[in-house]
Each structure stands twice: as structure tokens, then as C-alpha cells.
Amino acid sequence: MSTGTNNKVPGWLAQLGVREGEYFVDSKPRARRAMKSQAFSPAARIHICLGLHTMAFRQELAVKVEGGKSVPLTPQDICAETGIRREHFRRHMTELEGYGLADCKGSTKGRVEIYAWAVPRNVDVKKIVTARGDNFEWCPADLRPLLKHYRIRFSEDFVIARGDILELERLARVTMEAELSLRAYAKGLRAQAPPNKDERKGTGLRSRRRRLRP
């Protein structure tokens, strides 16, 4: 094993502002193992995968080699390499975007360009994904019991954005208010004095007469 060190930064990284001592060499087998490991969150696995397809090509745009040429990496490619479900890709990318680690530009129905920033961008708290799993640790205190009450569960790899949490809170409040109103109205009906015997008979006679009419 070589003990020598060389901290000279490659030119393309130096142009991005990476200084000596902020650059290192990694192995592709290690990254390939990690990006499929359940020990890492889906967003982390995508980030590792993007590292293979950006840093290895000395650029921030994620690409793959196809027909001897570099072409943009697609969400389908990333999901196939990481084992992450395609329908959750956008949510996981939003998490990386929120932390300033990556970006996804374009429509998933057309041309898509996916970037992994060598120098992280500013954190965007509006995009940060704060929830993972179905144990409700991410929930605000007043939302957790409501979700449990209505038996709402999420899959292990599910993540949720801050705006979605606010909408869940709003819907939960509306639902609970409607339920309380329903229970209060039903309670009021039950509290009313029951009809006397003559009223019950009269109601029955009127009902029978209506059924006997031609």
C-alpha cells in the first residue's frame, strides 16, 4: 500500500472552487455496494449513484456511456442501479435538492438532466424532506395521534416534504372537526325525549295508510 499523498486538485474541480485538501480518490466497488445497501436512505443511495456518474466523468452532469458516447443519466437508470422504486424518485431527489447536493432539470416525460454538485449549493428549507418510515417520529405532536387514529400508514421508503406535512395537518383538522360535529349532532338526537306511545302509534298508522293507498 502506498503511503504517499498527492493533494493536487484536478483542474475541473479547481475551477469549481475545490482547494487542496478537499479532494480525495474513492473506489467504484465501494460506491456500487453502498448505493444498493439498505443501511442508507433512498436519497443517500441516489447521491452515491450520482457520484459514480459525475465525479468519475469529471463533471457535475450525471452521464452514462452508451454506444461509446456519454449520454445523460435518466431516473430509470438510477432506480435500476439503486433498487429504488421509480414512483418515489422525485421525492428523494427533492430531498437532495433541498440540501443543495443535487438537481434534476427538465420533465421526466422528456429530456432530463440530473446534476450532483461537487461544491454543495445553499440549503433550501422549503424543499427539505423531513420524514422517513412509518413510525411517525417526523410528525408534529398534534398530527401524530390523528394519523394513528385514522390508521394512516406509510411505507418504509416513503418520504414527505414540509409542504405536504402542512397539508396533512390541515386535512386532519378538517376531518377531526367534521367527526366531532357528527358525534355532537348524534348525541343531541339521542338526548331528545323519546316519542310517547300514542305518537309512536300514530306514526305507525300513518305509515301503514301510506303503504295501503293505491
Side-chain angles (χ1 to χ4, degrees):
M1 180 178 67
S2 174
T3 58
T5 60
N6 184 358
N7 292 327
K8 186 175 181 180
V9 180
W12 75 278
L13 285 176
Q15 291 179 359
L16 294 174
V18 178
R19 303 175 181 177
E20 291 189 7
E22 296 180 339
Y23 166 76
F24 74 102
V25 177
D26 201 353
S27 71
K28 291 183 178 180
R30 189 171 80 99
R32 291 193 185 104
R33 174 70 61 83
M35 72 182 184
K36 294 182 179 180
S37 173
Q38 296 293 329
F40 297 95
S41 71
R45 287 154 60 188
I46 290 176
H47 188 245
I48 295 168
C49 177
L50 291 178
L52 282 175
H53 291 275
T54 55
M55 303 301 107
F57 289 86
R58 302 188 175 217
Q59 60 185 44
E60 294 178 295
L61 173 63
V63 296
K64 63 181 179 179
V65 177
E66 195 173 82
K69 297 181 179 179
S70 294
V71 297
L73 196 69
T74 68
Q76 290 85 348
D77 294 328
I78 295 173
C79 292
E81 291 188 21
T82 60
I84 292 170
R85 295 170 62 179
R86 176 64 182 84
E87 58 265 34
H88 296 321
F89 173 80
R90 181 65 260 181
R91 284 183 175 273
H92 302 321
M93 276 301 303
T94 299
E95 185 172 7
L96 294 176
E97 291 170 4
Y99 282 105
L101 296 171
D103 195 10
C104 183
K105 299 181 179 181
S107 170
T108 54
K109 295 182 179 180
R111 179 181 175 84
V112 178
E113 292 184 342
I114 303 172
Y115 295 83
W117 307 125
V119 178
R121 305 296 173 84
N122 293 331
V123 174
D124 184 350
V125 294
K126 294 180 180 179
K127 289 186 176 181
I128 290 178
V129 178
T130 58
R132 200 177 283 115
D134 61 356
N135 56 9
F136 300 117
E137 292 181 357
W138 51 272
C139 277
D142 57 342
L143 177 59
R144 188 180 304 124
L146 293 178
L147 293 181
K148 290 183 177 181
H149 173 73
Y150 292 109
R151 298 181 180 180
I152 297 175
R153 296 290 183 270
F154 299 98
S155 62
E156 289 295 335
D157 59 350
F158 179 78
V159 292
I160 185 168
R162 184 181 299 276
D164 293 326
I165 293 178
L166 295 177
E167 180 64 9
L168 276 176
E169 287 185 298
R170 185 189 71 80
L171 292 173
R173 285 195 300 270
V174 171
T175 303
M176 181 57 70
E177 289 171 0
E179 180 179 338
L180 292 175
S181 296
L182 175 62
R183 291 181 181 277
Y185 188 77
K187 182 178 180 180
L189 291 177
R190 291 195 299 267
Q192 292 178 5
N196 58 39
K197 186 176 181 180
D198 292 337
E199 289 176 337
R200 290 198 300 270
K201 286 183 177 180
T203 301
L205 287 173
R206 287 194 295 271
S207 298
R208 285 195 293 272
R209 286 172 181 170
R210 284 196 295 270
R211 289 197 296 268
L212 291 174
R213 287 177 183 175

